[in-house]
Amino acid sequence: MKKREKKPAEQEPAQEKEDAAKPEGSAAESSVTESVIEPEEPAKEARKYKRRRALRLALLILAAYALIVAAVAVLVDGRHVRFYMASDGEMTVECGQPYYEPGCYAVTYGKLFGESQRRLPLRVEGEVDTGKVGSYELRYIVRYLFREYETSRLVTVTDTTAPEITLLYKEGYRPSWLDGYEEEGYVAKDLCDGDLTEQVQREVFPDRIVYTVTDAAGNTATAERRPDYAVTAPEITLLGGDKLEYNACLYFTDPGFTAKDSLGNDLSGYVETEGEVIPYKPGLYELSYSISNAQGEKVSAVRTVNILPVGAPETVDPDRNTIYLTFDDGPGPYTEQLLDLLKVYGVKATFFVTCNNPDYEDMVGRAYREGHSIGVHSATHNYYSIYASEEAFFEDFNAAQNMIYEQTGSYTSLLRFPGGSSNTVSSFNSGIMTRLTQAVTDMGYQYFDWNVSSGDAGETTNTRQIAQNIIDGCTGRRASIVLQHDIKDYSVAAVEQVLIWGRNNGYSFRALDLSSPAAHHTIFN
Ligand code: ZN
């Protein structure tokens, strides 16, 4: 205000100076013109000049006045920029959704002249990333009369939407009962975080699969799938039935089973069997067959196996004094001459054989064909291995049986335990002889001990003494079971003397069979 008042005041002295200079100047001019131009002309010019000056002055005053009025008007009007903003200055946008500018414009406004219709050009600064949770400021800037005016909008991007899990399905797919459900696939997408498939947690329950995924903002989505396994549950079929009965024997072989699911897939290879049958031990055994799947489900079948004792063979005492010559541990180098001798005398004897001399095994076949009896002694004759367990004993026993079968074409029901049933060499395995004698009896074998010892097993190597031992042992005895070893030449050499003595003294010689007296010893172990 002060400035504006001052201006016209400064102008006034200038005008006065001009006015004061006028008479001097006009006097000088008139003195010049008076000498050149007519006196009327200078007066005219001076008037014109005066008018122009006055006009100029008036215009100047008018302009100054207009300026003052305009300045006052602007000040009083208080013209400034006014913003119009659609929606609020603060707004929220869901993450992943596009951001639409709701609109903003600016006009000028004054107290005196009101609002201008003309919209001012706007500049917007700032950006909104709706793909990312956060707060964003948008600034709207207008330049008006050398000044910048601005307003702003706060845009908050939030994520309140859970991701979406899409379960995929394969055409014609059916879960296998055994392997369970094989994932067909799934996809998890979030508007804000994008693909979350990798983050999906998969929990497998017996009847369903649950898929869970949580986005960065903590929004959780779940989906569930219930595969149908029931249609393919397998069935176990027991070949031979669920109840079996066998006589006590060396080996039990399971007749087998099949397991098929309802689609016909063979799952037999996945069946697990539990239980054991001891085939030489009479009793009722239970075998279970089961198949389990990935879901922990189980299909089972049970069968019972009844092992029956065959029972001890009935023994018949001979009707006259009889000598049963028995030879252990062969065949060997002297077996052939022994067979020749027996053939000459027409006498049948019994051979409890081993597999220790494979070169002479053909003598087993010859003895059998010539009417002698063949019994198992032992394949190895190793006390420490055969008496280690029932399984070990029967494995050895079976090897000897196989050799006998190869030589004779049949298996034998006769045996003699190495060391006899009374042996104590087996005492390292307590009770083994008690169990083995029972087992072989249950299986229908007959084991034979002896009641006449030749003394050829260490007591003597003297043939005469051996013969005498046998004769002494057999004298007056209804059933003599004589123990000799045909792998010992001094023992084989004693046989002829015994044969002569027996024939001359009314004894008959016979080979052992199932009904023969067995001369069982007392069992000490
Ligand atoms: Zn022996």
Side-chain angles (χ1 to χ4, degrees):
M1 283 292 257
K2 273 175 189 171
K3 272 183 182 174
R4 283 184 192 105
E5 276 164 21
K6 234 176 177 179
K7 272 176 188 172
E10 281 164 6
Q11 278 175 321
E12 273 160 25
Q15 222 165 322
E16 276 168 68
K17 274 177 193 169
E18 244 177 294
D19 291 335
K22 249 181 238 170
E24 287 165 41
S26 60
E29 273 170 36
S30 59
S31 64
V32 176
T33 46
E34 266 171 38
S35 57
V36 184
I37 313 159
E38 289 164 62
E40 285 174 1
E41 290 302 305
K44 237 184 198 174
E45 285 297 309
R47 275 200 303 274
K48 262 186 203 169
Y49 181 76
K50 265 190 175 171
R51 272 204 301 276
R52 242 180 267 143
R53 276 183 63 108
L55 201 66
R56 225 182 281 153
L57 188 66
L59 280 172
L60 259 171
I61 291 165
L62 210 67
Y65 182 74
L67 263 172
I68 291 163
V69 167
V72 169
V74 164
L75 275 173
V76 175
D77 189 25
R79 188 144 293 269
H80 61 277
V81 171
R82 182 179 266 184
F83 288 95
Y84 284 93
M85 187 165 272
S87 179
D88 275 337
E90 282 185 26
M91 59 182 290
T92 302
V93 180
E94 182 66 18
C95 186
Q97 300 288 355
Y99 171 70
Y100 295 110
E101 169 61 48
C104 176
Y105 67 90
V107 292
T108 57
Y109 176 84
K111 276 180 228 159
L112 288 181
F113 306 108
E115 194 175 277
S116 158
Q117 290 295 305
R118 195 171 64 85
R119 292 191 180 184
L120 299 168
L122 265 177
R123 191 170 91 241
V124 184
E125 280 184 10
E127 255 182 79
V128 176
D129 181 358
T130 62
K132 209 172 164 188
V133 169
S135 289
Y136 301 89
E137 194 189 33
L138 291 177
R139 292 168 66 223
Y140 304 84
I141 302 157
V142 160
R143 199 168 174 81
Y144 175 69
L145 287 183
F146 317 111
R147 264 193 67 188
E148 283 198 337
Y149 296 83
E150 74 167 79
T151 188
S152 68
R153 191 201 298 280
L154 189 69
V155 180
T156 306
V157 175
T158 60
D159 184 6
T160 61
T161 311
E164 204 176 301
I165 299 174
T166 308
L167 300 179
L168 306 179
Y169 295 89
K170 284 182 190 162
E171 184 87 25
Y173 173 73
R174 203 200 294 242
S176 124
W177 181 87
L178 189 69
D179 300 325
Y181 174 73
E182 196 183 314
E183 182 58 53
E184 289 169 275
Y186 50 85
V187 171
K189 279 190 175 150
D190 184 63
L191 281 175
C192 192
D193 302 344
D195 193 336
L196 293 180
T197 307
E198 292 283 300
Q199 277 93 294
V200 172
Q201 299 285 314
R202 194 171 167 274
E203 268 184 290
V204 179
F205 296 96
D207 60 334
R208 68 191 195 282
I209 299 157
V210 176
Y211 307 80
T212 311
V213 71
T214 303
D215 68 14
N219 303 301
T220 300
T222 60
E224 191 180 286
R225 188 187 319 252
R226 289 178 177 268
D228 179 17
Y229 307 100
V231 287
T232 57
E235 203 178 297
I236 297 174
T237 306
L238 300 177
L239 303 177
D242 60 357
K243 284 189 172 68
L244 297 176
E245 264 189 13
Y246 292 103
N247 285 335
C249 57
L250 273 183
Y251 292 105
F252 166 74
T253 307
D254 194 297
F257 50 82
T258 58
K260 279 183 180 170
D261 64 17
S262 62
L263 298 174
N265 295 314
D266 187 359
L267 304 179
S268 308
Y270 301 97
V271 172
E272 282 178 25
T273 59
E274 256 182 87
E276 193 198 359
V277 172
I278 304 174
Y280 49 81
K281 196 173 177 182
L284 200 60
Y285 297 90
E286 201 174 87
L287 295 175
S288 80
Y289 307 79
S290 61
I291 180 164
S292 304
N293 68 5
Q295 284 72 45
E297 293 168 328
K298 199 171 177 180
V299 173
S300 304
V302 173
R303 83 162 126 216
T304 55
V305 180
N306 195 7
I307 299 292
L308 303 166
V310 177
E314 257 184 58
T315 60
V316 181
D317 277 332
D319 49 8
R320 52 182 291 199
N321 287 352
T322 303
I323 296 171
Y324 300 91
L325 295 178
T326 70
F327 299 93
D328 287 8
D329 299 358
Y334 317 112
T335 307
E336 188 170 13
Q337 70 183 71
L338 175 58
L339 288 173
D340 291 344
L341 179 74
L342 294 170
K343 198 173 184 181
V344 167
Y345 282 84
V347 163
K348 307 302 176 198
T350 302
F351 293 86
F352 290 106
V353 300
T354 74
C355 303
N356 285 337
N357 296 299
D359 289 349
Y360 303 100
E361 279 174 7
D362 58 337
M363 287 300 114
V364 175
R366 176 183 164 188
Y368 179 79
R369 286 188 296 276
E370 292 181 356
H372 304 287
S373 287
I374 307 296
V376 168
H377 191 37
S378 167
T380 62
H381 210 290
N382 183 328
Y383 295 123
Y384 299 97
S385 64
I386 64 176
Y387 293 137
S389 66
E390 285 97 314
E391 288 69 29
F393 178 84
F394 287 120
E395 196 179 317
D396 173 271
F397 178 88
N398 199 47
Q401 279 281 32
N402 287 339
M403 186 273 282
I404 292 167
Y405 185 85
E406 274 173 38
Q407 296 299 329
T408 68
S410 65
Y411 295 104
T412 180
S413 296
L414 316 179
L415 77 140
R416 173 171 285 154
F417 289 105
S421 66
S422 56
N423 81 77
T424 51
V425 74
S426 63
S427 58
F428 66 90
N429 183 354
S430 180
I432 184 73
M433 294 319 298
T434 306
R435 297 193 298 273
L436 286 176
T437 50
Q438 182 63 50
V440 298
T441 304
D442 285 336
M443 282 189 273
Y445 295 108
Q446 180 59 285
Y447 71 91
F448 293 89
D449 286 313
W450 58 90
N451 53 21
V452 176
S453 182
S454 66
D456 71 352
E459 287 168 39
T460 181
T461 57
N462 184 291
T463 299
R464 185 181 290 273
Q465 183 62 54
I466 289 168
Q468 196 56 53
N469 286 345
I470 297 169
I471 290 163
D472 289 349
C474 292
T475 301
R477 197 186 285 271
R478 175 55 61 98
S480 298
I481 299 170
V482 181
L483 172 64
Q484 281 188 271
H485 297 84
D486 56 330
I487 53 166
K488 292 173 178 176
D489 55 347
Y490 51 84
S491 188
V492 169
V495 172
E496 188 165 17
Q497 200 185 327
V498 173
L499 294 178
I500 292 165
W501 172 83
R503 197 173 60 182
N504 293 344
N505 290 278
Y507 288 85
S508 66
F509 291 90
R510 288 176 67 176
L512 291 169
D513 61 41
L514 272 179
S515 64
S516 304
H520 284 172
H521 291 173
T522 302
I523 293 162
F524 296 111
N525 179 27

